[in-house]
Structure formats: structure tokens, C-alpha cells
Amino acid sequence: MMKFQGSDILSVSQFDRESVSRILEVAQAMVPYASRQKRCHVLEGAILNNLFFEPSTRTRISFGTAFQLLGGFVHETVGQESSSLSKGESLFDTAKVISGYSDVIAMRHPEMHSVGDFAKGSTVPVINGGDGANEHPTQALLDLFTIQAEMSRFNKGIDNLNIVLMGDLKHGRTVHSLSRLLSLYKNVNITLLAPQPLQMPQYIVDLLTNAGHKVTITDTMAGHLQSDVVYQTRIQQERFSSLAEADKYRGHFSLNKTVYQQYCQDHTVIMHPLPRDSRPEANELDVDLNDNTNLAIFRQAQNGVLVRMALFALTLGVDEKLTQFEKPVTWFTNK
């Protein structure tokens, strides 16, 4: 198992199965704090610098929420124009300076491998919040946590899972990272459902097949949604050369109540990393599924707080001290 304390979290390729299990175990231990049953101030006095140089809502806020739920302070920089990067400062120099002000850093950047380059200059742990089309390790971990939690309702696990990854698989860093984690498990049947130009990169396909998993590549929904999980992704418009190019594929794989009833199983769990594009021309995940008890997208988003709390606790070495720093909740909450 990897040594977490003091380590950067840059890629899911850092993890073996034992390490992933430890992260999910600590994330589960965070439920009482995230659900406001108790407070925990184990990171009181610690400082997170949240550096988000690409637009984000859920990831940025959940990193901050996770740190604050453990008692820490959060400083934020949003947009490159708000930083000295806009003046030509290198990522290495920025890291040297900001890490001096921090105990841990969470970072998102539009360029592939940029967070790794930043981490080379940092003196504190750096957690990758997404680097271009490369990876999104914390999203993959929360996705795996969600799959495990949702499958437990049906007395199933991640081994022997049947999952469909659907949408923009070429540019979708969430499915790239999730696929890497799934390669650690046994006998997973994976259907890659996308237009041919947006199919999963071959190196990811090779990773899955080399792990012994059955991989089906298709561009047709009919007959391919009979699965435990359907993981839908949006068209990554920001990764295309033009809006017109992205529009060629928008709305190709819309999942709605009719499609669900026609092609999915009664227990098929629906996941999506959010945001979902609800515009009529896209409508990738219809609001008519909002009352479906197997729509897990909002539980999935909440699980992001648990996983990020776990990563902060592990990298800062307080994962075994949580109960020593508990306090009662004193305000009204309907959590």
C-alpha cells in the first residue's frame, strides 16, 4: 500500500487495490461529519490553498467544504487571470511560493500534466483536481465509492460489475481515471458507448483488456444498456477545436425515461460526473429521470466531499485521530 502521509495525489496510477480500499474506508468514516451528526476539528489551524485555473463548481466547492468540515481554513484562487501566471510566472515558481503559505494544495489546470509539473515545485502535498483531458483522480475515487455504495443495495460489489461508459470518452478525464481504477478489480464487463471519433483512447482500452476485463466497443444504445451501472458523460465542448465540431456530437446519446425503460434493467444505476447539459439540443440526461431512485448523480456529488475529506486526512496524517477531535453539532440541521 502506498505511503499517504506527505504524498501528492496526482494520478490513480499511484494506487494499488489496497490503497484504494483504504481511501474508501476512511471516506466512509467521514459520513458522521459530512451529515452533521458530529463535528471534527482535527485540521484546526491547517491551511488549504484551492487553486482552480479552470472553471469548476462542484469540485472546487467540495474540496473547500471537505477541508472546512475537518476544521481547516481555505484560501481560494479562481482563474489564471487572478494569479501571477497571467504575468508569465512558471508553475514551478508559483508552487514554491504558494506552498510556503499552505499545508496542502488542491489544483485544477486546463493543460495536461500541469498539476504534476506544479507539484515538482511544491513543498506540501498537492492534490490533482483535474488537469486538462488527462486525469481527475478524486472524481474517479468518488465514482468508485459511489459504485460500491450503490451496488451494496443489491448485494453486489465492484468485482464482476457490468458497467457502460457512455458519451465523450475521448476527452472525458473522469472516465479515463475511473477505467484505471476498474483495472484493479476482477472480471469487470465494460461497454464503451460513443461515436467512433469520441471513443476511449486505445491505451485505456489496452489497460482494461490486459487486466482481464471484457471490453465491448459500440456506438449503439439498443442492446448495450443492460448493465449494473450506466455512467454518462457530457460532450467536453472546451476540448474541441470549435463549437461547430462539438455540436456534431451533441445529443447523440440522450438518456431519458423512455430509453431507460426500454433498454436498461430495473436496478441499473445512473451516474454522471456533472454538470449535465440540460439544453434541448444536448439533454444528455433528461430531468424526467429525476424521480428514478436509481439516479445516483446527486448522491455521487455528495460522496465527493467524503472522498476529499479522506484524502486530506491521509495526506496530512490524521486519519487515525478523527474521533479524538469530535464535537457535538450545536446548530439546527435537517441533514
Side-chain angles (χ1 to χ4, degrees):
M1 184 169 67
M2 73 171 283
K3 174 183 173 290
F4 285 102
Q5 184 173 316
S7 295
D8 301 318
I9 305 297
L10 302 177
S11 169
V12 294
S13 61
Q14 295 173 242
F15 307 134
D16 55 18
R17 182 161 172 169
E18 186 181 5
S19 300
V20 172
S21 295
R22 178 58 182 158
I23 295 169
L24 301 189
E25 177 187 22
V26 177
Q28 186 63 42
M30 297 299 180
V31 170
Y33 314 129
S35 60
R36 311 301 196 274
Q37 297 170 44
K38 303 174 183 178
R39 287 188 288 159
C40 182
H41 60 107
V42 69
L43 292 182
E44 184 175 4
I47 296 174
L48 163 69
N49 260 292
N50 228 10
L51 307 181
F52 273 68
F53 300 125
E54 187 179 50
S56 172
T57 303
R58 274 152 300 279
T59 303
R60 177 176 59 83
I61 293 175
S62 70
F63 265 117
T65 298
F67 205 74
Q68 289 171 325
L69 283 170
L70 293 174
F73 297 101
V74 179
H75 296 164
E76 288 200 336
T77 300
V78 180
Q80 292 199 53
E81 69 281 357
S82 301
S83 76
S84 291
L85 292 174
S86 64
K87 303 174 184 177
E89 184 174 56
S90 69
L91 287 171
F92 182 88
D93 286 3
T94 301
K96 280 293 185 186
V97 174
I98 300 300
S99 61
Y101 307 152
S102 318
D103 293 290
V104 64
I105 295 170
M107 182 178 177
R108 170 173 286 188
H109 196 281
E111 296 177 10
M112 294 178 66
H113 309 295
S114 54
V115 180
D117 292 339
F118 178 92
K120 293 174 184 176
S122 177
T123 57
V124 300
V126 175
I127 301 179
N128 185 357
D131 56 339
N134 181 40
E135 278 208 59
H136 197 347
T138 63
Q139 179 70 48
L141 289 165
L142 76 88
D143 289 340
L144 202 69
F145 183 92
T146 301
I147 291 170
Q148 180 173 275
E150 296 295 321
M151 290 299 99
S152 68
R153 295 191 290 126
F154 307 108
N155 296 315
K156 297 186 176 186
I158 302 172
D159 290 326
N160 306 308
L161 182 75
N162 291 295
I163 184 170
V164 177
L165 305 179
M166 179 167 70
D168 185 354
L169 306 184
K170 177 181 179 180
H171 303 105
R173 60 192 172 197
T174 62
V175 290
H176 297 171
S177 293
L178 178 57
S179 294
R180 289 178 184 271
L181 288 184
L182 290 174
S183 71
L184 300 176
Y185 291 80
K186 298 177 181 178
N187 193 36
V188 180
N189 293 317
I190 303 168
T191 299
L192 305 176
L193 177 52
Q196 195 283 324
L198 300 185
Q199 260 298 348
M200 189 72 82
Q202 187 60 45
Y203 74 93
I204 298 288
V205 177
D206 292 342
L207 178 72
L208 293 169
T209 54
N210 290 339
H213 300 327
K214 179 183 177 182
V215 178
T216 301
I217 298 174
T218 184
D219 61 1
T220 305
M221 286 197 295
H224 291 106
L225 296 182
Q226 293 279 323
S227 62
D228 297 313
V229 176
V230 171
Y231 189 108
Q232 170 76 287
T233 63
R234 68 181 175 87
I235 298 299
Q236 304 280 308
Q237 177 181 312
E238 63 273 24
R239 313 288 178 211
F240 285 81
S241 58
S242 68
L243 177 60
E245 182 69 17
D247 284 342
K248 289 181 184 178
Y249 306 104
R250 208 182 301 277
H252 277 211
F253 296 116
S254 294
L255 185 59
N256 54 38
K257 187 175 183 179
T258 300
V259 171
Y260 186 91
Q261 292 175 339
Q262 186 173 0
Y263 298 130
C264 296
Q265 300 186 76
D266 291 341
H267 71 272
T268 298
V269 171
I270 306 165
M271 295 176 59
H272 190 297
L274 298 179
R276 57 174 165 174
D277 191 340
S278 298
R279 291 172 292 187
E281 65 270 23
N283 199 27
E284 64 210 25
L285 191 55
D286 201 296
V287 295
D288 68 5
L289 287 164
N290 282 0
D291 293 331
N292 188 317
T293 56
N294 292 323
L295 182 74
I297 61 175
F298 302 117
R299 296 190 291 273
Q300 185 180 354
Q302 294 303 316
N303 289 339
V305 173
L306 301 176
V307 166
R308 290 169 180 129
M309 290 174 76
L311 290 174
F312 287 134
L314 286 160
T315 56
L316 295 179
V318 298
D319 51 299
E320 300 284 358
K321 303 176 183 178
L322 301 175
T323 57
Q324 300 173 33
F325 292 87
E326 289 182 352
K327 290 183 177 181
V329 172
T330 56
W331 60 88
F332 168 77
T333 175
N334 63 358
K335 292 284 184 182

